[in-house]
Amino acid sequence: VAVPLIVDTDPGIDDAFALALAATHPNADLLAVTTTFGNVPLDVTTDNAQRILTLLNRLDVPLGQGSAQPLVHPVPASAAHVHGVDGLGGRAHDFAEVGRPVHDNAHDVMVRALDAATRPVVIVAIGPLTNLAVVLASRPDLVGKIGRLVVMGGAVSVPGNVTPVAEFNILCDPEAARRVLAAENVPVTLVPLDLTHQCTVDEDWLDHLARAGSTAGVLTHARETYLRYYEQSLGIRAVPIHDAIAMLAALEPKLFSGTPLHLDVDTSAGVSRGAIVADRRRHSPVYPGRPVDVATDTDPEMVRKALFSTISSLP
Ligand code: RIB
Ligand code: CA
């Protein structure tokens, strides 16, 4: 039975791959897409969400525009050097033109979808967590409609990608991340860099996917920007399509195994701001609240095959 999905996103090259999975995977019943600031400013992420849904022929999916800013402190980092100024590797125009401006806001779109849902909804958050923090704080009555949050973010036992300890989505709004990951009761699966960096795809994989169909071709157009960034940052010409792996964890959870960990998020202004602090010690947890299921293991080849087979099935 298909999983009712809401995707909260800051497109973003890897977000585009994740949305392609959400729009076409047999296990996905895509209820709504909401946008947030993140890789690029909100007006650009929202335009990109429209372009991507148009390319995927899914303008039937409600789209809502969310937060332009984090809850408390200013945006600490841009990812334009990773995703390009247009957020899609300089190839935004290849996806589709932007149709009518988005009038709905993310809060209303998410609340409407949750209200109407007849089965528990999986919310896949693949950008900063500001929108989710606001919805959960303002509509606690809807928590019962959410089966699980699957969050791409954090670096638990590996270095961060913005600072030595902080990953981009969490660092963009640590206060929101702390609310969603540590203060709320809704079940959470966290897909951190620990996992996404295990499942990189290389140039051959991307070239092979590019030839699989016109949509796959457009999605992989932006690969040069992405490959170049990771060649500099990881020293390999291979990219972790972070958000697509998080989406796969929502759609094919059996591919992944995790560890329940009590964790907290550093919301200080210090050097470790945005760090996820997970308590792996065996004694009783010092952090209050429910543990988070941190996805730590998978078979990378199975992940690459699942990504390839779904995206190559696009027209
Ligand atoms: O750190 C990776 C995350 O930051 C991904 O969601 C990517 O799209 C960026 O938002
Ligand atoms: Ca993202």
Side-chain angles (χ1 to χ4, degrees), residues 138-150:
S138 62
R139 289 296 304 267
D141 58 301
L142 288 176
V143 168
K145 302 291 291 271
I146 303 172
R148 177 164 288 276
L149 300 183
V150 178

Side-chain angles (χ1 to χ4, degrees), residues 114-125:
L114 288 172
D115 259 333
T118 53
R119 288 181 295 128
V121 175
V122 173
I123 301 181
V124 183

Side-chain angles (χ1 to χ4, degrees), residues 189-203:
T189 295
L190 184 70
V191 179
L193 297 182
D194 310 55
L195 188 78
T196 62
H197 280 179
Q198 290 177 45
C199 309
T200 55
V201 292
D202 65 13
E203 206 155 2

Side-chain angles (χ1 to χ4, degrees), residues 10 15 39 126 243:
D10 64 331
D15 301 69
N39 287 315
I126 49 177
D243 295 341

Side-chain angles (χ1 to χ4, degrees), residues 8-16 36 38-39 83 125-128 152 167-169 226 242-243:
D8 192 60
T9 176
D10 64 331
I13 299 171
D14 56 328
D15 301 69
T36 173
N39 287 315
H83 296 269
I126 49 177
M152 191 282 134
E167 176 277 331
F168 182 81
N169 288 339
Y226 222 19
H242 307 283
D243 295 341

